[in-house]
Amino acid sequence: MRYPQGGGLTAERQLFREELRLQAAGRFARGEASSVIARDLRVSVRSVQRWRQAWEEGGPRALRSQGPASLPRLSEKQFTQLEAELAKGPAAHGWEDQRWTLSRVKTVIGRRFHMTYTVQGVRKLLVRNGWSCQVPARRAIERDDDAVAGWVKEVWPCAEGSRRLVEPGSCSRTRPVSP
């Protein structure tokens, strides 16, 4: 995950970055070089160059924070309703097993709220609201370890294919038939 709270900067971090950009604007006015500003502010030279371009086009106002890149399409109230739907389980929505997948959650959102999300959009929505991928705490009772071992020995090698050459090869690319 890029940011600790799941998809954006905190208000304090946005303010900190805005202050950096405004400090850079004061230094742009004094004519300092981008590389010097970048080193002193501990940011990339490319960021300073983008800030300088924005500053030249719109002044210090252009360096102010624009706010979040996008707002969630589901409101807090709608997400609460979605959580209630997910709590009912997949069987209540017509699926035979008890696994929630991103595509199933996407389908529920479409049916319930008449909105279309991408699978990655659903993932971001869930992570932003504190949900995470879950792994079973223990193996299923129905698991047959003998069948799994047989599959690994018999089926998997056929699916994987052989990577070894039939005849011995050479480690030299320039002289493949050297003795």
Side-chain angles (χ1 to χ4, degrees):
M1 195 173 344
R2 186 169 180 184
Y3 299 112
Q5 69 283 3
L9 297 174
T10 61
E12 298 83 27
R13 196 69 184 155
Q14 281 181 335
L15 184 62
F16 172 77
R17 288 190 174 191
E18 182 177 331
E19 289 172 2
L20 279 180
R21 292 189 299 270
L22 294 176
Q23 286 177 20
R27 297 176 79 169
F28 296 153
R30 292 193 296 265
E32 293 185 34
S34 296
S35 59
V36 174
I37 297 171
R39 186 185 66 236
D40 293 346
L41 297 180
R42 298 178 64 182
V43 296
S44 70
V45 175
R46 180 65 189 125
S47 291
V48 174
Q49 291 170 343
R50 280 188 284 112
W51 298 346
R52 185 183 298 270
Q53 184 178 6
W55 177 76
E56 288 172 352
E57 293 172 1
R61 176 176 230 113
L63 297 177
R64 295 250 179 235
S65 177
Q66 304 291 317
S70 65
L71 297 173
R73 292 171 41 208
L74 282 181
S75 68
E76 292 295 324
K77 181 180 176 184
Q78 288 174 321
F79 190 79
T80 304
Q81 293 171 356
L82 175 62
E83 286 182 316
E85 293 296 323
L86 296 178
K88 293 177 184 176
H93 294 280
W95 289 287
E96 294 177 5
D97 59 1
Q98 289 295 312
R99 288 180 299 132
W100 278 118
T101 63
L102 292 175
S103 59
R104 289 179 179 184
V105 175
K106 173 186 170 190
T107 303
V108 171
I109 291 172
R111 289 177 185 167
R112 180 76 169 90
F113 304 106
H114 307 289
M115 286 187 191
T116 56
Y117 266 85
T118 63
V119 172
Q120 287 301 314
V122 171
R123 184 190 65 79
K124 289 178 182 178
L125 173 72
L126 293 175
V127 168
R128 186 181 301 128
N129 286 284
W131 287 61
S132 64
C133 296
Q134 299 296 310
V135 178
R138 57 190 174 274
R139 289 188 175 172
I141 296 171
E142 300 87 7
R143 180 181 167 116
D144 183 2
D145 288 325
D146 294 331
V148 171
W151 184 90
V152 169
K153 287 180 182 175
E154 297 170 15
V155 178
W156 179 244
C158 297
E160 178 76 3
S162 177
R163 294 186 182 187
R164 294 185 179 180
L165 296 174
V166 176
E167 38 189 63
S170 171
C171 62
S172 173
R173 289 180 175 226
T174 56
R175 297 181 61 193
V177 281
S178 62

